[in-house]
Amino acid sequence: MEASFLRDQWYVAATSAEIAAKPLARTICNENLVLFRRADGRIAVLEDRCPHRQAPLSLGEVVGDDIQCGYHGVRFRGDGACTLIPSQTDLPIPRNFSVRAYAAEEIHGLAFVWIGDAAKADRSLIPDWSANTSPDFTTVHGYHYVRANYMLLVDNLLDLTHLTYVHKATLAAGPSGHIWLKDQDVTVEGEAVHTSRTVRGAEPSGLIRATRRFVSGQVDRFQTSDFYPPCFVRVTLGAEAAGEADAMKGPHHVVLNAATPETEATTHYFWSVPRAYALGEEAVSEIFYGVTKAAFDEDAAMIEAQQRTMATDPNGGKLVNFRGDLASQAARRIMDRKLREQAMKASVAAE
């Protein structure tokens, strides 16, 4: 599959919990990175390559504010500048002997890295996922390594028509789950895609039943999805006892998704689920994590099989769109346009 990555964009590189005492290696958009914490706790992201003998810096260790190469002990600051060459301390450090540094921000319990020109990094473009750390929510985090192109995950997240078939035991709601196959409202606002569906008189989903949000009876359910380039999807879900309210009072939980491309055919899938009820109840958190992970295991298995089938298709793995694919189709149009604009700018710059 042809490379299809947007540059000058934020991508989720890790959860905050992943960046500990040891350096963390991660590949994003075919670029090898190393993440580490400075002495004051701030994160730094460098190219995972020592310019001396090309050893991965991620095999080294953190010393104060520096990362030390595990091969010859050369040290680099978080801004990429070399601070020490142990084998020749009597000589000045060669000019321009440094490592590429990436703009990075740690917020909402996640580490975001700017893939592209660090001078253009705009913190305001990081999605507002403050629910992850809000006292009004309790959040569980998860990660899947998916052997498929990241846009196939975006397709999946914007598509509700697969729920009844892929998620029989987790997210679907039995026979009445087919009601989700009805049309959804899809709107495009600038570079964002928004979807919404409301279903009244439905059976509670497996997750709602498992957390005893509603013990029995039918519910009125709503779900919205919001896509923002390059790979962010926010899903908001709510339910009320059937017939009790004309409008939903608010979400009972949110699913925040980042399908960060590793390569053209592999993806780092970061997800989190902040919920607005049973705050602090560990047993409910375990259910949310377990059910969500099981559901995304089901998705990953299907998407990876889809990727393998597309890779062997003599016709190039073309996709066909149904009515239920309107949202993912709109997202792909936005991404295609932005990729064309990026290629055009690169071509002009080269001239």
Side-chain angles (χ1 to χ4, degrees):
M1 185 174 290
E2 185 177 331
S4 55
F5 309 135
L6 284 179
R7 308 288 168 172
D8 292 337
Q9 300 283 330
W10 292 108
Y11 291 90
V12 175
T15 64
S16 292
E18 287 183 282
I19 310 173
K22 294 182 178 181
L24 173 67
R26 187 135 285 164
T27 298
I28 297 177
C29 298
N30 283 332
E31 298 187 17
N32 297 324
L33 313 179
V34 58
L35 295 83
F36 65 97
R37 290 194 183 277
R38 300 176 172 96
D40 63 2
R42 291 178 301 138
I43 64 169
V45 182
L46 301 178
E47 182 179 7
D48 192 12
R49 189 188 314 276
C50 179
H52 173 222
R53 283 292 188 266
Q54 303 287 302
L57 290 172
S58 56
L59 295 181
E61 60 184 300
V62 179
V63 180
D65 280 338
D66 298 346
I67 186 168
Q68 177 175 280
C69 180
Y71 199 2
H72 298 96
V74 182
R75 295 183 187 178
F76 300 92
R77 287 196 313 243
D79 63 1
C82 180
T83 63
L84 177 68
I85 302 176
S87 62
Q88 51 185 48
T89 55
D90 57 326
L91 298 175
I93 294 172
R95 182 179 298 179
N96 298 324
F97 184 76
S98 61
V99 179
R100 178 185 176 186
Y102 291 76
E105 295 284 349
E106 186 174 13
I107 188 172
H108 312 321
L110 299 166
F112 290 82
V113 62
W114 180 267
I115 298 296
D117 184 352
K120 296 179 180 178
D122 183 349
R123 195 174 191 271
S124 70
L125 298 179
I126 294 175
D128 180 7
W129 285 359
S130 53
N132 270 346
T133 52
S134 168
D136 297 326
F137 293 84
T138 292
T139 302
V140 296
H141 292 270
Y143 169 85
H144 279 70
Y145 182 73
V146 183
R147 292 171 177 80
N149 182 267
Y150 73 106
M151 284 304 296
L152 295 180
L153 273 81
V154 172
D155 288 345
N156 175 272
L157 289 164
L158 293 175
D159 162 38
L160 296 183
T161 65
H162 77 279
L163 294 184
T164 299
Y165 306 100
V166 177
H167 303 301
K168 293 182 175 68
T170 51
L171 303 182
S176 67
H178 289 280
I179 200 167
W180 289 96
L181 301 182
K182 290 184 177 181
D183 294 347
Q184 66 178 341
D185 293 326
V186 179
T187 59
V188 177
E189 184 179 352
E191 295 183 344
V193 179
H194 308 289
T195 78
S196 65
R197 285 183 179 177
T198 299
V199 178
R200 299 192 180 275
E203 293 297 322
S205 69
L207 179 59
I208 293 176
R209 289 195 303 270
T211 57
R212 301 184 68 80
R213 180 72 170 82
F214 297 98
V215 177
S216 62
Q218 293 184 324
V219 297
D220 294 335
R221 300 169 57 187
F222 80 87
Q223 178 166 336
T224 65
S225 298
D226 304 288
F227 164 78
Y228 303 97
C231 57
F232 302 117
V233 179
R234 176 191 180 102
V235 181
T236 304
L237 304 100
E240 306 288 348
E244 286 195 1
D246 292 334
M248 306 297 174
K249 297 176 183 177
H252 51 66
H253 72 281
V254 181
V255 187
L256 304 174
N257 306 273
T260 299
E262 179 187 53
T263 67
E264 291 84 355
T266 54
T267 301
H268 301 292
Y269 178 25
F270 299 93
W271 53 267
S272 57
V273 186
R275 69 176 185 276
Y277 67 96
L279 302 183
E281 294 187 22
E282 184 60 31
V284 176
S285 292
E286 291 176 359
I287 292 172
F288 261 91
Y289 178 81
V291 172
T292 306
K293 180 183 182 302
F296 290 160
D297 284 346
E298 294 167 337
D299 281 326
M302 179 61 73
I303 294 169
E304 288 181 347
Q306 179 187 11
Q307 176 75 42
R308 292 193 297 271
T309 302
M310 292 174 65
T312 59
D313 181 4
N315 296 317
K318 295 181 179 179
L319 303 176
V320 174
N321 293 306
F322 292 156
R323 183 180 299 172
D325 302 311
L326 286 175
S328 58
Q329 192 176 8
R332 282 180 175 267
R333 285 199 193 101
I334 291 169
M335 289 296 293
D336 288 345
R337 174 176 55 78
K338 291 179 71 66
L339 285 164
R340 287 196 302 272
E341 292 171 353
Q342 176 175 273
M344 187 176 299
K345 288 179 181 178
S347 178
V348 170
E351 294 176 359

